[in-house]
Amino acid sequence: MSEPVLSIENLSVSFSSRRGVARVVDGVDWEVHPGQTLAVVGESGSGKSMTVLAATGLSPRGAKVGGTVRLRGEDLGAMSEVERRRARGRHVGFVYQDPMTSLNPVMPVGRQVTEASEEHLGLRGDDARSRAVELLDMVGIPSPEQRVDNYPHQFSGGMRQRVVIAMALANDPELLIADEATTALDVTTQAQILELVESLQERLGTAVVWITHDLGVVAGIADQVAVMYGGRILEHGTVDHIFGSPGHPYTQALLAARPQPGVRADRLATIPGAPPVPHQLPPGCAFYPRCPVRGDERCRTEEPPLTEIAPGHRVRTFYRAPHSGIERPAS
Amino acid sequence: MTTEHGAVKTGDVVARVEDLHVHFSVSRSAPVRAVDGVSLEVRRGETLGLVGESGSGKSTTGLALLRLVDATGGRVEVGGQDVTDWSRRRVRSLRRRVSMVFQDPAASLDPRLTVGASITEPLIVHDLAASRDARRSRVAELLEMVGLRADMADRRPHEMSGGQKQRVGIARALAGEPDLIVLDEPIASLDLSVQAQIMNLLRGLQEQLGLTYLFISHDLAAVEHMSDRVAVMYLGRIVETGTPEQIYRNPAHPYTAALLSAVPTADPEAERRRRRITLHGDVPSPVNPPSGCRFRTRCPAARDNCATTDPELYEVEPGHRAACLYAVEAVEEMRAGAATTP
Ligand SMILES: Nc1ncnc2c1ncn2[C@@H]1O[C@H](COP(=O)(O)OP(=O)(O)OP(=O)(O)O)[C@@H](O)[C@H]1O
Ligand SMILES: Nc1ncnc2c1ncn2[C@@H]1O[C@H](COP(=O)(O)OP(=O)(O)O)[C@@H](O)[C@H]1O
Ligand code: SF4
Ligand SMILES: [Mg+2]
Ligand SMILES: [Mg+2]
C-alpha cells in the first residue's frame, strides 16, 4: 500500500484545571492514505475535533499534547512552528461546520479562495483571479465569473460551504480535513457537498478525514471508520466491519438506536445515561457505566486494550458480540 | 368529517389551520412569506409529522398554533374554536391547551430557576394547583412521568445533561394537560444515544396519556418513526401529505422523492447502490417565490405548465395528497432519469 498522507500514533491531549486533569484524547492511532476516506465518528465531546486539531498542531492554548504525527512521512513534532505552519498550509485543507469561521465577511470570496495560494504558490493578479474562477466553478458555484466578486453574505449556507471547500482545495492539498462540514446543512445540500467531495477526491486523489456524528454519512463516504468515545477509539475497521459486524457493544448499541427505515418499531433500543465528561472518566472501560454487556469485574477496573479481531478490525473491549450473542475473546 | 385513511387513529380534530398565511415584514422591503397558504388538521391521539428543509415554514406553522406568531391571513382553530383573533388575555388560556417543546433545551429553561420552579411556572400561570403542597407533589409527579427522580426538582439547568434538560422541557409542556403539544425539533440538539431515549419517552407518554403531537423535524428517519401522518413543507406550503408508508414508500411529489433520496442510511451496501436524485441550486427566497409551482426552479420533471399553474393538493390515493401537476408520473420519470445522471 502507498505511504499514508497522515499518520498519528498514540496521540493524547489533556487539559489541567481545578477540577483535575481531563484526558480528552487518549492513545489514538490511525492513518489515512491517498484517495481514501477515514471517517471519525462519535458523540459530542468524544474528542473528534481535538484529535485532528492536535494532529495538525492547532490545539488550543493549555492543551498538553503527546504522541507522534507524520504528515507525508515527516514528523510534525520535530518541526519548528514556522515549518509546521508552512507544511499545513501547503498540504492540508480544512472545512469546518460553520463556513463563516473560515470566511472573512468583508472580503470578496474570490480573493479569499486564492489567498493561501498567493502565499504558497506565488500566484498574482489576473492569474489569481482566474484560478479563483476555476476553483469556484469546480465546486459548482453557478456563473463563477460574476460570483467571484461577491461577498459571503450574498451566498446561501450551502454555497458558502462550497466556497470554503474551494478555499481548502486551492493548493491541491494531499489531505482534506472536514469537521462536521455538512452537519448544519439540509440533506439535499449535504448530498450535493458529499458528491462534490467524492468526485474531487476521485479526480485529485485527495485523502480525506471526515469527522461526523451521522452514521448515515459515514456509511456513504468512508473506507475506514474510527469510532470514538470518551477520548478513545473504541472500534476501528473498514466501513463494512463497522456496519456489517460491529464488535464493540457501544457501536452495536449506537447502530441499534437509530430508527430503521420502513420498520417503525414500537420502541427503539436505547443506551441509558449520557456520554461521560472528560474529567470524570470511569477507571475501566469508558463505556462501562452504560454498557449492556458488562462481562465481569475487569470491565469496571481495567481499561481494555484495542485488540485486533480480524485483519484491520480492532475493538477496545473485553467482550464482543460479532453477530449474535456475546463472545469472550481469548486473553 | 370523513376519515382519510383506515390505518390512522381517527380522533376528532384538536387543531386546524386553514389557508394560513404568516408574512413577516422586515422594515420597508417586501415581506417574507414564511407560511403562504397552509391547511392542516391534527386529530386527537395522533402524531402529525412536519418535515421540510430549513426555512420552509415548519416552526412558524407550529408557533401560529399557539398564537406565538400572528396569522396575516387564514384561520387557526383549536378545539373547534376560531382563535385567530383572540385577545392577549384569552391567548393565555390557549397556551394551556396547546404547549410547545423547543429544540434547544438549554435556551428554553431559565438558568437562574431550579427545575422545580421552571415546572411550577405553568402551574401558577394557569392556576392549576391551589397550594404549595399541591404544586410540589404535581412537580414530583411530572418529573417522574418524564423519567427523572423527584429530587431533580432542586437542580439548576447547568447541572443537567442535554437529555435531562429536554425531559424537563417536556415536563413543563405536560403541566397543563394540553390537548396538543407542538414538538419543534425536540431531538435535534441531543446526542445520538440520547435521541432514542427521548423518542421512546414521547411515544410512551402518548400511549399513557392519549397525547396529540405535532412533531416538527428535519430528520426524516425520526419523523417516519414517530408519525401517524406526515406533511412535507416546501417554501411556505405543504406539498404532500399521507401516512408514513405512503410518503416514504411511494412519494408522489418530486420534492419529497428528491428529499428522501438525499437521506443517507447507515448501510454501506445500500449506499453503494444508491441513486440520488440530485437537486440543483438553492431554495428560492421566500420573499418572492416562483410563479406557478414553487418547486419548479429545482424540479427535474418541470415542464412549461408548471410556471403558470399553481398546483393544489389533490388526492393521489385515499389519504395521500400531493401538490404537483404531474404527481406520481413526474416521480417515475425522475427515477428513470436518476439512473443515467451521474
Ligand atoms: N420573526 C421573523 N421575522 C422575519 N422572518 C422570519 C421570522 N421568523 C421566521 N422568518 C423567516 O420565515 C421563513 C420560515 O421560517 P421557519 O423558522 O418557520 O422555518 P423552519 O421550517 O422552521 O426552518 P428550520 O428547519 O431552519 O427551523 C424563513 O425564511 C425565516 O427566515
Ligand atoms: N480549550 C479547551 N479546554 C479544555 N477542554 C476542552 C477544550 N476544548 C475542548 N475541550 C474538551 O475536550 C473534549 C473533546 O472535545 P472535542 O474534540 O471538541 O469533541 P468532539 O469534536 O468529538 O465533539 C470535550 O470534553 C471538550 O469539552
Ligand atoms: S408541478 Fe411541475 S414543477 Fe411542480 S413539482 Fe410537479 S412537475 Fe415539478
Ligand atoms: Mg467537534
Ligand atoms: Mg424551525
Side-chain angles (χ1 to χ4, degrees):
Chain A
M1 216 196 220
S2 56
E3 197 177 317
V5 180
L6 181 71
S7 76
I8 67 184
E9 239 172 81
N10 199 20
L11 187 77
S12 66
V13 182
S14 57
F15 293 94
S16 305
S17 73
R18 269 179 295 125
R19 285 180 300 178
V21 177
R23 302 181 69 84
V24 302
V25 176
D26 198 356
V28 168
D29 296 303
W30 46 249
E31 51 187 46
V32 57
H33 292 262
Q36 296 269 303
T37 299
L38 168 75
V40 180
V41 63
E43 300 180 83
S44 68
S46 59
K48 308 179 295 292
S49 302
M50 207 49 71
T51 299
V52 294
L53 290 175
T56 50
L58 293 171
S59 49
R61 194 166 301 198
K64 215 170 137 248
V65 180
T68 312
V69 180
R70 289 198 172 76
L71 181 63
R72 306 163 76 239
E74 289 178 61
D75 187 347
L76 280 180
M79 292 181 190
S80 71
E81 185 53 48
V82 176
E83 289 169 325
R84 199 155 44 224
R85 202 173 85 86
R86 183 171 316 137
R88 197 166 53 221
R90 183 69 194 81
H91 305 295
V92 189
F94 292 91
V95 182
Y96 299 106
Q97 173 167 344
D98 178 2
M100 287 317 287
T101 57
S102 312
L103 294 171
N104 179 343
V106 296
M107 194 195 273
V109 296
R111 281 288 317 281
Q112 301 192 53
V113 164
T114 51
E115 205 181 21
S117 325
E118 291 171 29
E119 183 183 336
H120 292 279
L121 306 175
L123 223 50
R124 298 269 174 276
D126 282 354
D127 286 345
R129 189 188 159 84
S130 58
R131 173 75 175 142
V133 171
E134 187 187 327
L135 285 162
L136 292 178
D137 188 41
M138 180 174 80
V139 297
I141 302 277
S143 14
E145 305 81 9
Q146 280 112 59
R147 301 307 295 242
V148 70
D149 298 319
N150 284 174
Y151 291 87
H153 74 263
Q154 293 167 292
F155 287 74
S156 68
M159 276 164 74
R160 280 182 207 147
Q161 201 59 301
R162 283 167 188 266
V163 172
V164 174
I165 292 173
M167 224 161 112
L169 294 174
N171 291 336
D172 299 325
E174 278 107 303
L175 176 64
L176 182 70
I177 295 179
D179 189 350
E180 305 277 8
T182 57
T183 300
L185 303 175
D186 280 314
V187 282
T188 53
T189 316
Q190 168 171 279
Q192 293 171 357
I193 299 281
L194 293 177
E195 259 167 38
L196 167 68
V197 170
E198 277 182 324
S199 75
L200 294 172
Q201 182 176 34
E202 226 161 79
R203 256 197 298 148
L204 310 173
T206 321
V208 174
V209 175
W210 195 278
I211 297 178
T212 180
H213 65 271
D214 186 330
L215 293 163
V217 170
V218 175
I221 61 158
D223 299 298
Q224 297 282 320
V225 182
V227 180
M228 288 194 75
Y229 188 84
R232 297 154 215 211
I233 291 182
L234 293 194
E235 183 155 8
H236 188 180
T238 65
V239 70
D240 291 311
H241 286 143
I242 300 296
F243 290 89
S245 48
H248 198 287
Y250 174 63
T251 316
Q252 291 180 342
L254 209 52
L255 287 167
R258 281 297 296 161
Q260 302 292 303
V263 174
R264 308 198 63 226
D266 204 34
R267 289 289 186 277
L268 298 166
T270 59
I271 309 175
V277 277
H279 58 271
Q280 291 171 342
L281 276 178
C285 173
F287 188 52
Y288 175 80
R290 308 175 72 195
C291 182
V293 178
R294 295 193 192 173
D296 63 33
E297 186 58 16
R298 269 200 307 171
C299 299
R300 196 176 61 78
T301 55
E302 229 180 277
E303 161 143 49
L306 200 54
T307 316
E308 187 152 67
I309 56 169
H313 187 186
R314 299 179 299 157
V315 178
R316 192 187 291 283
T317 177
F318 292 121
Y319 292 86
R320 67 191 174 90
H323 295 293
S324 59
I326 307 300
E327 191 179 289
R328 187 169 187 165
S331 60
Chain B
M1 212 207 80
T2 57
T3 58
E4 276 193 358
H5 194 264
V8 166
K9 299 176 205 166
T10 49
D12 50 337
V13 173
V14 171
R16 180 203 315 271
V17 301
E18 249 181 57
D19 196 26
L20 177 71
H21 291 254
V22 181
H23 296 180
F24 294 104
S25 297
V26 189
S27 67
R28 275 169 304 151
S29 45
V32 178
R33 307 162 85 95
V35 175
D36 207 22
V38 162
S39 300
L40 59 78
E41 52 186 43
V42 197
R43 299 175 204 147
R44 189 166 307 282
E46 77 168 351
T47 299
L48 174 63
L50 199 54
V51 287
E53 287 173 285
S54 182
S56 56
K58 306 181 295 297
S59 297
T60 306
T61 302
L63 293 169
L65 282 167
L66 283 84
R67 286 278 316 277
L68 285 169
V69 295
D70 285 328
T72 49
R75 277 150 55 88
V76 181
E77 263 176 39
V78 172
Q81 286 175 289
D82 185 342
V83 303
T84 325
D85 299 314
W86 274 15
S87 68
R88 206 181 272 184
R89 237 193 57 225
R90 281 189 88 188
V91 160
R92 214 187 299 158
S93 71
L94 171 68
R95 295 195 189 136
R96 182 183 163 194
R97 288 156 64 183
V98 186
S99 64
M100 191 148 174
V101 175
F102 297 92
Q103 165 167 354
D104 185 354
S108 55
L109 295 176
D110 187 333
R112 294 161 305 179
L113 292 185
T114 63
V115 160
S118 276
I119 301 175
T120 308
E121 207 175 58
L123 298 177
I124 295 173
V125 171
H126 302 308
D127 205 7
L128 296 173
S131 67
R132 262 183 101 143
D133 277 353
R135 285 198 288 268
R136 192 171 307 137
S137 72
R138 178 73 176 141
V139 167
E141 184 183 42
L142 286 163
L143 283 171
E144 243 152 66
M145 274 158 74
V146 298
L148 294 174
R149 288 193 322 266
D151 61 21
M152 286 280 199
D154 301 325
R155 298 245 187 128
R156 276 166 223 280
H158 74 266
E159 298 168 295
M160 309 183 96
S161 71
Q164 289 173 326
K165 278 182 266 196
Q166 196 55 297
R167 287 173 192 268
V168 175
I170 293 168
R172 259 174 71 96
L174 290 173
E177 299 180 25
D179 295 320
L180 170 66
I181 303 182
V182 175
L183 302 157
D184 192 358
E185 304 274 6
I187 59 166
S189 64
L190 302 178
D191 262 317
L192 211 55
S193 68
V194 180
Q195 293 185 350
Q197 293 171 10
I198 298 297
M199 285 193 272
N200 283 354
L201 172 68
L202 290 169
R203 274 276 192 101
L205 288 169
Q206 181 168 48
E207 282 158 23
Q208 225 179 301
L209 308 170
L211 299 174
T212 307
Y213 294 145
L214 179 67
F215 185 81
I216 299 176
S217 176
H218 65 272
D219 180 338
L220 281 116
V223 168
E224 180 182 13
H225 174 73
M226 291 294 292
S227 309
D228 299 298
R229 289 189 306 132
V230 176
V232 183
M233 284 193 80
Y234 185 78
L235 214 53
R237 286 276 178 87
I238 290 176
V239 297
E240 185 162 4
T241 64
T243 63
E245 290 77 12
Q246 291 167 337
I247 299 280
Y248 287 74
R249 217 123 352 107
N250 290 310
H253 194 286
Y255 174 64
T256 312
L259 192 63
L260 287 169
S261 89
V263 181
T265 55
D267 178 353
E269 262 316 305
E271 286 297 313
R272 278 175 210 125
R273 289 192 313 263
R274 168 187 292 277
R275 291 172 185 162
R276 283 202 191 97
I277 304 166
T278 311
L279 290 183
H280 295 285
D282 291 309
V283 181
S285 157
V287 172
N288 45 36
S291 67
C293 171
R294 292 171 183 233
F295 184 54
R296 72 177 164 83
T297 54
R298 302 171 80 202
C299 179
R303 28 207 113 169
D304 292 347
N305 248 351
C306 304
T308 48
T309 313
D310 187 355
E312 279 180 37
L313 277 169
Y314 89 99
E315 190 155 88
V316 292
E317 61 181 307
H320 185 187
R321 297 187 299 156
C324 165
L325 299 175
Y326 306 98
V328 185
E329 174 195 335
V331 171
E332 279 161 14
E333 188 181 302
M334 281 162 57
R335 289 225 169 100
T340 54
T341 340

